[in-house]
Amino acid sequence: MYRGIAYSVLFVVAVLLQVLLLDSLFIIPFGVPMLYLSFLILQPFDRNAFAMLGLGLLLGLAMDLLSGMDGLYTISALWLAFVRRGVVILSLGKDALRESFVPSARVLGGGRFWLYTLSALLFHNVVFFLFEALTFDNLHITLSRIVVSTIFSAPFIWAAAKLFPSFNKK
Amino acid sequence: MYKLITLLKQIAVPLLFVLAEVLAILHYANSTAYNKAQILSATNSAVGAVSGVFGSVGDYFRLASENEALRDEVESLRNQLADLVADSTLVSSYSAEGEIAPYYFSSAKVLQNSVIRQRNYFIIDKGLRDGVQANMAVLSMQGEAAGYVVTCSEKFSVCMSVASLDFTMGGRIQGKEFFGSVGWLGGDHRRVSLTDIPRYANPQVGDTVVSTVSFRFPPDVTIGFVESWEEADDQTTIDITLRTAVDLATLRDVLLVQYQDSEELENLSSGY
């Protein structure tokens, strides 16, 4: 119950901050900090695959509707929701899929959390920026945007995880 | 039967994912700037309302009325200036009627803007019913190049920003005759390039780059200022990096420029 409320608050706050603040500010050349992805990245690892797809769809539609991107956010958020299981296995091992905790640097350990977060962001950003470009012309710009956005989004996800209630049993 | 149910359970998630993804891709592939304007006009009021909560409401409303008065004044002055220039040129050059290119200026407010995408657009609060048409130039209130109108709905228009990889316009260094092509470099929204300039053009840091005559932009609109340059791959020209005169991230009010003879010029020049 409380966890559901916390995730709802995270959804609203992350999406609004993304649309109203981060997407309107020019912070770094080539890069966009993607705070809204914290809603998917910080889901418990044992979250049902159907539920993850539903949450990905919800997040993508909300972002598309508020930023007028006509499907780009839905394409990439669905992709991240679908591959997150694979990302967890790749970055943390198969055993992690049984864990019901909220991912954070505290429970995973700093190195493992950054590895998981950067991997998830990279998987997402490759799809997001290739679909945004819709061409392989100026590929160096697209690649720069993938790398820079991945690196600069990670601290925002870390901060969201730090502020998010852990709900973990001691 | 049991095996079929088991199989369906196993492929249900990938199947749903593929289905949803295909629908999203189809929607994205068929999206147009017009759709974008429609969606944004529908959601803009909601976003604006929430934005107001986060922003400084009092300051915002005070500035709004001030901005409106200033916009009207600039619009009126620009139109007066255009009339005066046209009249004086007619008299001094004995030009035939119709030779002078008349420009009509009107103002608009930027509703939504982006500087972080590869193709950046901004939406303005004027559309077909206000006389806005595709290809009208969009300038800042200081008269600096900001973009041009791509498409319009009844009440809104989508404008391609100078900071868009698809944007190009003609530019020349003020005081020199060499002209080239201006396009965005893709990173910082305030850095654009001026290419195809001969090596012997000898630019100086700080030189002003202005627009050439085109069916979209009036001549001599300030685009930016020379920051640096390097030899192009063909070794006969240089690529110049400019800092744009307009800061697109802070664009709030704009001037729309209607070039009355744009259609004639475009028709004549197409195919050459």
Side-chain angles (χ1 to χ4, degrees):
Chain A
M1 168 78 174
Y2 289 121
R3 191 181 268 211
I5 293 170
Y7 275 110
S8 303
V9 171
L10 174 65
F11 178 86
V12 173
V13 171
V15 166
L16 287 180
L17 279 178
Q18 187 71 45
V19 174
L20 297 172
L21 191 67
L22 297 174
D23 281 0
S24 312
L25 292 177
F26 177 78
I27 301 172
I28 28 164
F30 296 105
V32 191
M34 298 199 168
L35 172 66
Y36 73 99
L37 291 177
S38 60
F39 178 67
L40 291 181
I41 292 174
L42 298 185
Q43 292 293 330
F45 292 148
D46 64 347
R47 177 76 80 205
N48 178 288
F50 277 109
M52 274 306 288
L53 270 190
L55 295 173
L57 184 65
L58 184 72
L59 182 66
L61 286 175
M63 286 298 298
D64 275 328
L65 197 65
L66 292 173
S67 56
M69 287 307 287
D70 287 337
L72 177 62
Y73 283 104
T74 306
I75 293 168
S76 48
L78 270 171
W79 165 249
L80 176 60
F82 182 68
V83 299
R84 197 188 73 137
R85 186 184 157 85
V87 171
V88 173
I89 293 172
L90 270 176
S91 56
L92 305 173
K94 205 165 182 175
D95 290 345
L97 287 174
R98 287 197 293 268
E99 301 293 352
S100 62
F101 52 66
V102 177
S104 69
R106 194 171 62 82
V107 292
L108 285 175
R112 279 158 59 84
F113 177 76
W114 287 107
L115 182 64
Y116 159 67
T117 303
L118 286 168
S119 308
L121 287 167
L122 186 63
F123 268 83
H124 171 272
N125 287 351
V126 167
V127 169
F128 183 91
F129 287 111
L130 281 176
F131 270 95
E132 185 198 46
L134 285 178
T135 172
F136 289 109
D137 296 343
N138 300 306
L139 190 61
H140 63 290
I141 292 176
T142 306
L143 291 176
S144 304
R145 287 172 68 77
I146 291 169
V147 173
V148 173
S149 295
T150 299
I151 292 168
F152 280 88
S153 298
F156 285 84
I157 307 294
W158 174 84
K162 190 95 177 155
L163 293 170
F164 195 79
S166 65
F167 298 107
N168 300 324
K169 290 171 188 159
K170 305 252 176 176
Chain B
M1 187 66 184
Y2 176 75
K3 277 185 180 174
L4 183 67
I5 293 170
T6 313
L7 179 71
L8 279 176
K9 269 187 180 173
Q10 279 175 348
I11 63 167
V13 172
L15 206 66
L16 262 180
F17 165 70
V18 170
L19 190 70
E21 199 73 323
V22 166
L23 286 175
I25 290 170
L26 283 176
H27 180 66
Y28 184 56
N30 291 313
S31 69
T32 60
Y34 180 79
N35 292 345
K36 205 184 284 283
Q38 297 291 67
I39 291 173
L40 284 170
S41 63
T43 55
N44 190 67
S45 51
V47 175
V50 182
S51 173
V53 176
F54 284 86
S56 170
V57 181
D59 285 350
Y60 177 80
F61 282 115
R62 268 200 302 279
L63 284 173
S65 57
E66 247 174 69
N67 274 345
E68 199 156 333
L70 283 170
R71 275 194 300 134
D72 290 345
E73 194 178 339
V74 170
E75 183 179 330
S76 154
L77 287 170
R78 287 272 175 187
N79 282 321
Q80 279 179 36
L81 183 65
D83 288 346
L84 287 171
V85 169
D87 287 348
S88 63
T89 318
L90 268 174
V91 171
S92 62
S93 63
Y94 302 99
S95 298
E97 194 180 345
E99 196 174 316
I100 300 302
Y103 294 96
Y104 179 75
F105 294 84
S106 57
S107 63
K109 190 179 279 293
V110 176
L111 296 178
Q112 186 140 354
N113 189 10
S114 162
V115 293
I116 57 166
R117 311 261 171 242
Q118 294 199 40
R119 293 178 187 83
N120 290 301
Y121 294 91
F122 50 89
I123 314 285
I124 56 172
D125 68 343
K126 297 277 172 72
L128 291 170
R129 69 175 184 185
D130 307 293
V132 180
Q133 294 169 11
N135 288 321
M136 283 173 76
V138 184
L139 314 180
S140 69
M141 295 311 274
Q142 288 73 40
E144 303 142 338
Y148 63 84
V149 177
V150 179
T151 189
C152 315
S153 62
E154 259 326 282
K155 292 185 280 185
F156 303 95
S157 300
V158 180
C159 309
M160 184 188 288
S161 155
V162 171
S164 182
L165 288 175
D166 296 334
F167 180 91
T168 55
M169 70 182 287
R172 66 178 179 84
I173 300 170
Q174 199 168 40
K176 296 177 180 172
E177 292 307 314
F178 313 108
F179 61 88
S181 180
V182 174
W184 187 42
L185 288 163
D188 186 339
H189 65 280
R190 295 206 68 173
R191 297 282 183 290
V192 294
S193 65
L194 172 64
T195 54
D196 303 327
I197 298 293
R199 287 173 63 177
Y200 48 82
N202 193 25
Q204 303 294 316
V205 172
D207 277 356
T208 304
V209 172
V210 295
S211 62
T212 54
V213 179
S214 74
F215 65 92
R216 288 190 186 120
F217 285 89
D220 298 324
V221 167
T222 305
I223 301 169
F225 308 100
V226 173
E227 267 198 349
S228 62
W229 59 90
E230 59 182 16
E231 197 173 88
D233 293 338
D234 61 14
Q235 295 186 335
T236 59
T237 60
I238 51 173
D239 294 341
I240 301 175
T241 300
L242 314 176
R243 182 173 173 79
T244 58
V246 64
D247 183 357
L248 291 159
T250 59
L251 201 62
R252 296 287 175 270
D253 300 288
V254 290
L255 283 171
L256 298 164
V257 187
Q258 170 73 64
Y259 177 25
Q260 314 285 6
D261 300 329
S262 68
E263 202 175 322
E264 187 180 333
L265 181 60
E266 194 181 0
N267 288 340
L268 187 67
S269 60
S270 63
Y272 292 97

